[in-house]
Amino acid sequence: DHRLMRPGRFELIREVELPNREVREKIVEIHLNKVSKNFKFDEDIPKYIAEKTNGFTPADLRGFLSVLLLNLGKREKFHISKEDVDEVLKEFRPTLARDLAYYTEPSLKLEDIIVDKEFANALIEWIKDNIENGEKLLLYGPDLPYISKLVEALAGTLGYRFIKVNASSLHEFLAGESEKKIQKLFDRAKSLAPSILYLEGIEGLVEAEGRVTYKQDETAFLNSLLSQNYKNVIIIASSEKPYIINRQTLEKFPFRVYVRLPTREEIEEFIKKYDLDEILDILIDATITHTDLDNILKIVNSARKKGISVRDAVMKYLKDKDRNYYREYETRVRTLVGDSYDRESGTILWS
């Protein structure tokens, strides 16, 4: 309430920042030294815990260590290892993440998905080079579920906090409520840094080009936030229809990358990984998405269980798909939106 800020009341606001890595390490050392008679640990354990606990408050650190020591005590184990720390971290959520429905621990790494290795390396290097400046990246393509898996795998591989939200879910019909949700997202991403804030299907939140609708307030507010740089926060948006996004929002993403369909090498990797040589000739030159590959694996497993022809099941699935759409998409949309990924150099450049 702004009335509380009147003279004679709360005239000043001071933000107490979360402890940085060095401070977290000292806090951990203090707590562990108190129990050093009962629990032993290597010299690098406090530093390791500090590196793994971005976004933790001092109370979070104390609570985390209590859970860690309690688990060890139940197993009558009195030496703290990195494996013990990692096990507790999987379940322990810091305060800032507990009341944020969109926060999640990445369950994927790049090694877990089918991906073009050179393309993945380019994304990793771009994130490392630009996270300090808080740059923005738009990933677009006809396969939104795969793009979401890719972003989660990037966060998991880099060890960053991951905040994912379907952009359309941020819309509220009550005036000002959407803006509050958007602001909270950005504030928490900043507090949990280094982090990746992922806006899935951003066209669901913002105005379409050339139209004025109920989304205009959210669009203006989001654009104002995207105009700022959040240190150690990478903002990634995804879209299946980037060509309908209004120009003001689109320009907030100076890096725009087309996520292409699986290459021949990726399909071969998929065939080898899941021992699917019997359908190699069907898939190797097919126009399919990464999500198609996931669906085909389910179809193959189901066909094998039922004892029916795997080839017939896969061919039926492919027959029902409109492949011309994907070919036209790449030609038309990349021309309209631009593509920052230079395949010759394997780097991401300014659009």
Side-chain angles (χ1 to χ4, degrees), residues 100-103 163-186 197-206 214-215 217-219 221-222 225-226 235-237:
L100 186 61
Y102 309 113
Y103 171 81
I163 301 171
K164 173 187 174 182
V165 57
N166 185 290
S168 61
S169 70
L170 293 173
H171 177 71
E172 296 286 349
F173 287 101
L174 291 177
E177 291 302 310
S178 298
E179 290 84 344
K180 289 180 182 178
K181 291 173 72 173
I182 296 169
Q183 183 68 66
K184 184 177 181 179
L185 266 180
F186 278 73
L197 173 55
Y198 175 48
L199 304 173
E200 182 184 48
I202 192 173
E203 69 269 28
L205 176 65
V206 300
Y214 62 90
K215 297 178 181 179
D217 291 338
E218 291 97 326
T219 301
F221 187 74
L222 179 62
L225 294 179
L226 291 174
I235 299 173
I236 300 179

Side-chain angles (χ1 to χ4, degrees), residues 204 248 254:
Q248 289 78 14

Side-chain angles (χ1 to χ4, degrees), residues 45-319:
I45 284 295
K47 181 178 180 180
Y48 183 77
I49 293 175
E51 290 173 346
K52 293 281 188 174
T53 51
N54 287 312
F56 278 52
T57 66
D60 288 332
L61 289 170
R62 184 176 61 184
F64 167 77
L65 292 172
S66 296
V67 174
L68 174 63
L69 298 177
L70 182 62
N71 285 358
L72 291 174
K74 288 180 178 178
R75 291 182 288 163
E76 297 185 357
K77 180 180 179 182
F78 302 100
H79 183 273
I80 303 172
S81 67
K82 293 180 180 178
E83 290 74 18
D84 297 322
V85 172
D86 291 338
E87 183 179 342
V88 176
L89 278 173
K90 291 178 182 178
E91 303 296 331
F92 192 91
R93 289 169 70 88
T95 301
L96 289 174
R98 289 174 191 169
D99 62 342
L100 186 61
Y102 309 113
Y103 171 81
T104 182
E105 286 290 345
S107 60
L108 296 173
K109 293 186 177 182
L110 289 172
E111 63 199 44
D112 300 320
I113 65 174
I114 301 296
V115 63
D116 181 275
K117 301 300 186 290
E118 189 172 330
F119 178 59
N121 289 336
L123 289 170
I124 288 287
E125 292 305 314
W126 180 87
I127 292 173
K128 288 179 178 178
D129 292 342
N130 290 279
I131 191 166
E132 187 172 350
N133 298 326
E135 278 294 356
K136 292 89 182 172
L137 171 69
L138 175 67
L139 296 176
Y140 68 93
D143 191 358
L144 192 61
Y146 174 74
I147 294 177
S148 297
K149 286 175 62 175
L150 175 61
V151 177
E152 181 177 353
L154 290 169
T157 300
L158 289 165
Y160 293 164
R161 299 286 182 185
F162 183 52
I163 301 171
K164 173 187 174 182
V165 57
N166 185 290
S168 61
S169 70
L170 293 173
H171 177 71
E172 296 286 349
F173 287 101
L174 291 177
E177 291 302 310
S178 298
E179 290 84 344
K180 289 180 182 178
K181 291 173 72 173
I182 296 169
Q183 183 68 66
K184 184 177 181 179
L185 266 180
F186 278 73
D187 288 345
R188 289 302 169 85
K190 180 181 176 182
S191 298
L192 291 167
S195 62
I196 292 178
L197 173 55
Y198 175 48
L199 304 173
E200 182 184 48
I202 192 173
E203 69 269 28
L205 176 65
V206 300
E207 292 269 47
E209 178 67 12
R211 297 182 62 185
V212 178
T213 68
Y214 62 90
K215 297 178 181 179
Q216 57 183 333
D217 291 338
E218 291 97 326
T219 301
F221 187 74
L222 179 62
N223 286 346
S224 68
L225 294 179
L226 291 174
S227 298
Q228 307 171 36
N229 287 332
Y230 291 81
K231 187 176 181 181
N232 291 325
V233 177
I234 286 289
I235 299 173
I236 300 179
S238 65
S239 176
E240 285 183 318
K241 301 177 180 178
Y243 48 85
I244 70 172
I245 299 173
N246 69 85
R247 181 54 55 180
Q248 289 78 14
T249 301
L250 198 59
E251 288 177 350
K252 302 301 180 186
F253 295 90
F255 299 91
R256 301 189 284 274
V257 172
Y258 172 65
V259 181
R260 65 193 299 183
L261 301 180
T263 62
R264 187 184 182 94
E265 290 75 18
E266 288 176 80
I267 294 175
E268 289 176 344
E269 179 187 348
F270 172 78
I271 294 291
K272 182 178 180 180
K273 182 176 182 179
Y274 296 106
D275 191 22
L276 300 175
D277 289 338
E278 60 191 303
I279 56 172
L280 172 62
D281 60 315
I282 301 175
L283 297 185
I284 198 63
D285 293 316
T287 304
I288 52 179
T289 67
H290 291 86
T291 298
D292 284 333
L293 293 179
D294 291 338
N295 292 337
I296 287 170
L297 181 60
K298 295 175 184 176
I299 290 170
V300 169
N301 291 335
S302 176
R304 286 174 174 171
K305 287 181 180 179
K306 295 178 180 178
I308 63 177
S309 170
V310 168
R311 290 179 61 86
D312 290 346
V314 172
M315 290 179 70
K316 182 180 185 304
Y317 172 80
L318 295 176
K319 183 180 179 181

Side-chain angles (χ1 to χ4, degrees), residues 4 33-35 62 105 189 201 203 234 236 322-323 325:
L4 291 175
N33 286 334
K34 290 180 180 179
V35 297
R62 184 176 61 184
E105 286 290 345
E203 69 269 28
I234 286 289
I236 300 179
D322 180 9
R323 302 296 146 192
Y325 169 76

